[in-house]
Structure formats: C-alpha cells, structure tokens
Amino acid sequence: MSNEPITLGKALASFDTLWSPRVVTRVNDYDVRVAKVEGEHIWHAHDDTDEFFLVLDGELHISLREPGGERTVRLPRGAVFTVPRGVEHRPYAPAAAAILMFEPTGTPTVGDRHAEIPDHIDATTGHALDL
C-alpha cells in the first residue's frame, strides 16, 4: 500500500473489468475497494460481515431478501448504504457506475453463500474474469 494520497479517478482508470473490485488502501483489517459495475451481479450473502457501498458515479440498485420480503434500494451518486451481515443481496447498475466498498480484508465479492456463479466470474476469488 502506498503512503501517498490516492486519486480514486486514477485508480478506476487503471482497469476496465466489471464487478472486479481493486483494493486502493487498507484501514486496520479492512479493504477499501473500488469497482466499475454495470448490469447484474449475483445474489449472495456475507455471513460474518456487513458490506458498505458508496456510489462514486452513476447509480447502483441493491435488491435485498429480508424477512419481510424482497425490496430494492436505489443509490444515486454520493449515496451510501450498508447491507447487514447475512442478508442476501444482488447489486445491479442500470448503466456504467463506479462504487467504493469497505469490508474486511479477503472478503470474496460473491460472499459466503451465493447463486450459481456465471462463467465470467472466477469462482475462487469472486472477481470477474477478463473476456
């Protein structure tokens, strides 16, 4: 990790792969990750940790399966939302967007429990594969 300031725009410009977060810095035992997103990710849940989202650009929708039923939250640019641990969720971006996530180091992007992983996502890391 660098001990110099990090420009998020520069970090985002360094890659093109969708749904494949990159660590920009660490805070204690947490990764601060940025990702480019568009379309749907998969339904998944993190059993032991909450997942924090900040929308840097565009809009992100997060569908949630909660005890009272399913709902979707819409996050415009600048909005934050935390998915509580154990809640199944599926992020979706209707158009190109950029997000920042804050989660424990090593947290897989497909969670601990998830739907079938499509061919374009690495089942080991949960990161999108370059096509």
Side-chain angles (χ1 to χ4, degrees):
M1 289 292 110
S2 172
N3 61 355
E4 296 296 321
I6 298 161
T7 304
L8 295 179
K10 188 181 254 187
L12 286 161
S14 72
F15 65 96
D16 291 319
T17 309
L18 297 174
W19 299 109
S20 185
R22 302 300 201 269
V23 176
V24 292
T25 192
R26 288 195 172 87
V27 179
N28 298 315
D29 296 330
Y30 283 78
D31 289 342
V32 178
R33 302 174 181 181
V34 294
K36 293 179 179 181
V37 297
E38 187 172 4
E40 290 183 355
H41 195 38
I42 62 172
W43 280 102
H44 66 283
H46 302 277
D47 292 333
D48 299 318
T49 186
D50 301 334
E51 187 171 20
F52 171 88
F53 293 88
L54 164 63
V55 180
L56 301 171
D57 193 30
E59 181 175 271
L60 182 69
H61 301 184
I62 303 176
S63 297
L64 304 160
R65 290 181 176 153
E66 300 172 310
E70 196 171 300
R71 72 178 174 119
T72 299
V73 295
R74 288 174 176 75
L75 307 172
R77 182 177 183 224
V80 299
F81 184 76
T82 300
V83 175
R85 71 188 70 207
V87 173
E88 282 187 281
H89 59 286
R90 182 193 67 197
Y92 168 79
I99 60 175
L100 181 141
M101 294 165 293
F102 187 75
E103 52 199 359
T105 298
T107 301
T109 61
V110 293
D112 302 304
R113 296 178 283 117
H114 50 77
E116 183 175 338
I117 299 175
D119 291 338
H120 69 278
I121 295 178
D122 182 314
T124 304
T125 65
H127 295 172
L129 299 171
D130 292 324
L131 299 177

